Amino acid sequence: MILAIPDVLDSAGVQAVRALIDAGTWTDGNATSGHQSALAKRNLQLPEDSAQARQAGAMILDALGRNPLFIAAALPRKIYPPLFNSYAGGQAFGTHVDNAIRLRAGSDFRVRSDLSATLFLEDADAYDGGELTVEGQFGVGAIKLPAGHMIVYPASSLHRVEPVTRGRRVASFFWIESMVRDDAARQTLFDLDASVQALAADRGHDDAQVIRLTGIYHNLLRRWADS
């Protein structure tokens, strides 16, 4: 599943996050890289243990908790605390696959990375390049979204960030451990939920077919979900 989720943050939310992170001290982005990623990664990153990263990350997590499209698509069990990166002056991140398990330094917190997410925090017309390119089942997609919008995609996908040739690309990125680890099963549940919601809007939630399909959704979720 590759899904764009609009307006995770509104303009005020983007400005509040940027005010926090822009005041931080940015360092070499390879601080959180695995071996493969370190060979391809050229960017700056806000240290994840900084006060600015923690505050801004909490704002994003709060926004995600209020976003029904994200919850329906990701079925999140755990979310790695959001990180922040910046690309400028030709910086890029070559083709790679995200680590299967993400460990938070200095703690026992870990996440199985079923999904990766990028939340864009800079206006798309303020920089050239910087597309997130994801290689999926049906080809290659280059993604560049407005500030406040987010893309979610399988962490198992080959992906890269194209060189930024003008301006500065700023984003938050993180990983999601879903209650349903299989991407095809998660896609089926998402499609079924969307159909149930559309049918309920037309017929009402007490319609017999809506109730029946809702039951099917929950029985499939019960079968596929990790407790």
Side-chain angles (χ1 to χ4, degrees), residues 1-4 134-137 139 141 143 151-154 157 183 187:
M1 176 192 297
I2 300 177
L3 180 68
V134 181
E135 300 182 21
Q137 180 180 359
I143 301 151
I151 190 75
V152 175
Y153 58 97
S157 303
D183 187 60
Q187 178 75 63

Side-chain angles (χ1 to χ4, degrees), residues 1-148:
M1 176 192 297
I2 300 177
L3 180 68
I5 302 178
D7 299 317
V8 171
L9 294 176
D10 59 18
S11 59
V14 171
Q15 290 175 15
V17 167
R18 286 297 301 269
L20 281 168
I21 66 175
D22 287 349
T25 300
W26 295 71
T27 59
D28 187 339
N30 277 314
T32 58
S33 297
H35 174 71
Q36 179 198 53
S37 294
L39 299 175
K41 186 178 184 181
R42 298 292 180 271
N43 66 6
L44 296 178
Q45 192 166 305
L46 193 63
E48 64 178 299
D49 60 352
S50 69
Q52 294 90 346
R54 289 180 181 273
Q55 283 184 261
M59 293 171 63
I60 291 170
L61 291 175
D62 184 59
L64 291 173
R66 302 191 306 269
N67 191 296
L69 181 58
F70 169 74
I71 293 169
L75 295 170
R77 185 173 184 230
K78 284 195 265 184
I79 302 175
Y80 195 94
L83 304 174
F84 301 88
N85 60 21
S86 169
Y87 295 81
Q91 290 176 323
F93 197 163
T95 302
H96 65 285
V97 173
D98 290 339
N99 289 352
I101 305 295
R102 304 299 309 199
L103 306 174
R104 188 170 177 87
S107 77
D108 59 358
F109 182 84
R110 66 183 61 205
V111 167
R112 184 187 68 236
S113 58
D114 298 320
L115 293 163
S116 297
T118 296
L119 173 61
F120 291 81
L121 296 171
E122 182 62 83
D123 291 334
D125 60 0
Y127 62 98
D128 293 334
E131 294 85 0
L132 174 65
T133 300
V134 181
E135 300 182 21
Q137 180 180 359
F138 301 107
V140 178
I143 301 151
K144 186 175 182 180
L145 300 179

Side-chain angles (χ1 to χ4, degrees), residues 148-214:
H149 294 220
M150 185 172 78
I151 190 75
V152 175
Y153 58 97
S156 57
S157 303
L158 287 170
H159 59 282
R160 61 186 178 271
V161 176
E162 305 294 348
V164 173
T165 57
R166 178 187 66 87
R168 180 177 177 230
R169 176 197 193 268
V170 181
S172 176
F173 66 102
F174 50 93
W175 302 274
I176 300 117
E177 179 177 321
S178 177
M179 291 186 290
V180 177
R181 72 170 67 197
D182 182 74
D183 187 60
R186 204 164 48 244
Q187 178 75 63
T188 296
L189 287 167
F190 178 68
D191 291 342
L192 178 57
D193 181 56
S195 295
V196 170
Q197 297 304 320
L199 190 63
D202 182 56
R203 297 189 180 186
H205 287 277
D206 57 351
D207 177 81
Q209 292 304 313
V210 171
I211 294 170
R212 179 172 179 273
L213 288 173
T214 300

